[in-house]
Amino acid sequence: MGYQDKWNLLEAEDELDEMEHRQPTEEFLFYQAVSGGDVEAVKNNCRQERFLDSDGVGILSRNHITNLKYHFVITTAMVTRLCKQKGMELEQAFRMSDFYIQQLDDVHTVQGVRNLHDAMVLDYTEKMHKICQSDANSKHISLCKEYIYAHIKERITIEDLSEALGVSASYLSRLFKKETGDSVSAYIRRQKIEIAKNLLQYSEYSMIDIANRLSFSSQSHFIQQFREYVGMTPKKYRDLNHTIQWDIVTETKEDKSGNEGVP
């Protein structure tokens, strides 16, 4: 029997779950809070553990944890698309989505899924809060930022950007400065340094590895640029901030005996 036949039989036999589904208004408001950068509203939703509330929520799997994971994926997909509509760079939005969904492989309890959900929505919300605080950019500048994000590990020039956007380099340079207050080169440098800070804090990559990964001309050039932007050398920054810990994973890698965490 095919899937459509099974559905037709289930519907005809009236064996469907008669649970009344939650009104979509609440979910919509939650998604709007995330994409609108409303950190306090999202934190409050997490504190109330609304994600774990099964009242009015569809049953997507007979396995409770698998059911939660499916709902996690749906939430992530909705949040990703709404954040993109509200100004998040396309590549950033979808890379974050891929990352958090992949983390589900290491989660095996109810509490683990809840922790991952809360971390995911707050990450999106905090990033959107920063985006919403800044002035809205024109289409050309938004596309320019998306290109920079997607190619941040490469050496990016104003000519690369102008060719990708189909405008002159001089026009793009003036427009970028007018709308962001930064030159294109300064913006690219700042984005590279922000990624370098994360690599210094959360990875074991050497200085030369980080310089190469982000296409700095040399290790010394990377150190000089980092010190100019951050106010200290990369080594000093790592000494003060280095901490390799994946809180989401370590907190949720429970034994796989089938025991569920207690929310």
Side-chain angles (χ1 to χ4, degrees):
M1 184 184 295
Y3 290 120
Q4 186 173 348
D5 295 331
K6 288 182 179 180
W7 163 253
N8 290 337
L9 177 60
L10 189 66
E11 186 177 37
E13 292 181 341
D14 199 25
E15 293 293 333
L16 300 174
D17 183 2
E18 296 183 358
M19 174 188 67
E20 184 175 333
H21 285 75
R22 187 183 298 174
Q23 289 296 316
T25 305
E26 180 182 345
E27 287 181 77
F28 178 75
L29 290 175
F30 175 69
Y31 295 143
Q32 287 294 314
V34 174
S35 61
D38 191 341
V39 177
E40 191 52 43
V42 173
K43 283 184 176 179
N44 187 52
N45 183 282
C46 293
R47 282 193 291 267
Q48 293 176 357
E49 299 185 343
R50 292 295 291 150
F51 177 70
L52 296 181
D53 189 348
S54 60
D55 289 342
V57 176
I59 299 174
L60 306 179
S61 171
R62 288 181 290 273
N63 181 283
H64 183 45
I65 295 177
T66 302
N67 186 60
L68 280 177
K69 289 186 176 185
Y70 286 157
H71 281 287
F72 176 95
V73 172
I74 292 170
T75 299
T76 307
M78 291 295 295
V79 163
T80 298
R81 281 151 182 80
L82 281 174
C83 287
K84 169 61 183 73
Q85 291 176 12
K86 293 286 189 67
M88 181 177 282
E89 282 89 350
L90 179 68
E91 278 297 312
Q92 181 181 32
F94 282 106
R95 286 180 184 180
M96 286 177 64
S97 172
D98 291 346
F99 167 77
Y100 280 107
I101 290 173
Q102 288 170 11
Q103 302 311 300
L104 285 172
D105 289 345
D106 297 315
V107 179
H108 307 286
T109 68
V110 170
Q111 186 63 36
V113 181
R114 181 250 172 147
N115 289 346
L116 185 62
H117 166 271
D118 291 358
M120 180 271 293
V121 294
L122 283 170
D123 194 2
Y124 273 100
T125 307
E126 287 165 356
K127 285 180 170 59
M128 287 306 300
H129 181 71
K130 293 179 181 179
I131 292 171
C132 292
Q133 283 185 319
S134 62
D135 293 332
N137 296 137
S138 68
K139 181 179 179 181
H140 279 146
I141 300 307
S142 295
L143 290 173
C144 186
K145 288 183 175 182
E146 286 192 6
Y147 182 96
I148 291 169
Y149 183 87
H151 298 82
I152 195 63
K153 293 181 182 178
E154 305 168 16
R155 181 177 178 272
I156 307 169
T157 66
I158 186 66
E159 288 74 24
D160 296 328
L161 290 165
S162 63
E163 183 178 348
L165 272 62
V167 298
S168 72
S170 59
Y171 167 77
L172 183 60
S173 181
R174 291 195 303 272
L175 184 64
F176 198 94
K177 179 72 173 179
K178 177 183 177 181
E179 292 197 18
T180 70
D182 275 333
S183 67
V184 172
S185 59
Y187 179 83
I188 293 171
R189 182 166 59 249
R190 186 166 69 251
Q191 300 310 305
K192 286 179 180 287
I193 295 301
E194 288 298 328
I195 291 177
K197 286 165 65 177
N198 287 336
L199 290 172
L200 289 165
Q201 184 171 356
Y202 298 111
S203 82
E204 295 287 4
Y205 288 120
S206 66
M207 303 300 163
I208 187 64
D209 287 337
I210 295 174
N212 289 337
R213 284 177 67 86
L214 294 172
S215 297
F216 284 93
S217 58
S218 65
Q219 180 178 348
S220 60
H221 181 237
F222 164 59
I223 293 172
Q224 176 207 344
Q225 294 292 318
F226 190 95
R227 181 167 49 206
E228 183 178 315
Y229 180 74
V230 181
M232 66 183 73
T233 65
K235 182 181 184 306
K236 181 67 176 296
Y237 184 86
R238 170 167 275 174
D239 290 343
L240 292 174
N241 298 283
H242 191 235
T243 166
I244 299 181
Q245 56 181 4
W246 292 92
D247 292 336
I248 296 170
V249 175
T250 56
E251 288 179 6
T252 60
K253 271 193 174 180
E254 310 80 11
D255 66 25
K256 299 183 181 182
S257 61
N259 296 326
E260 297 181 1
V262 178

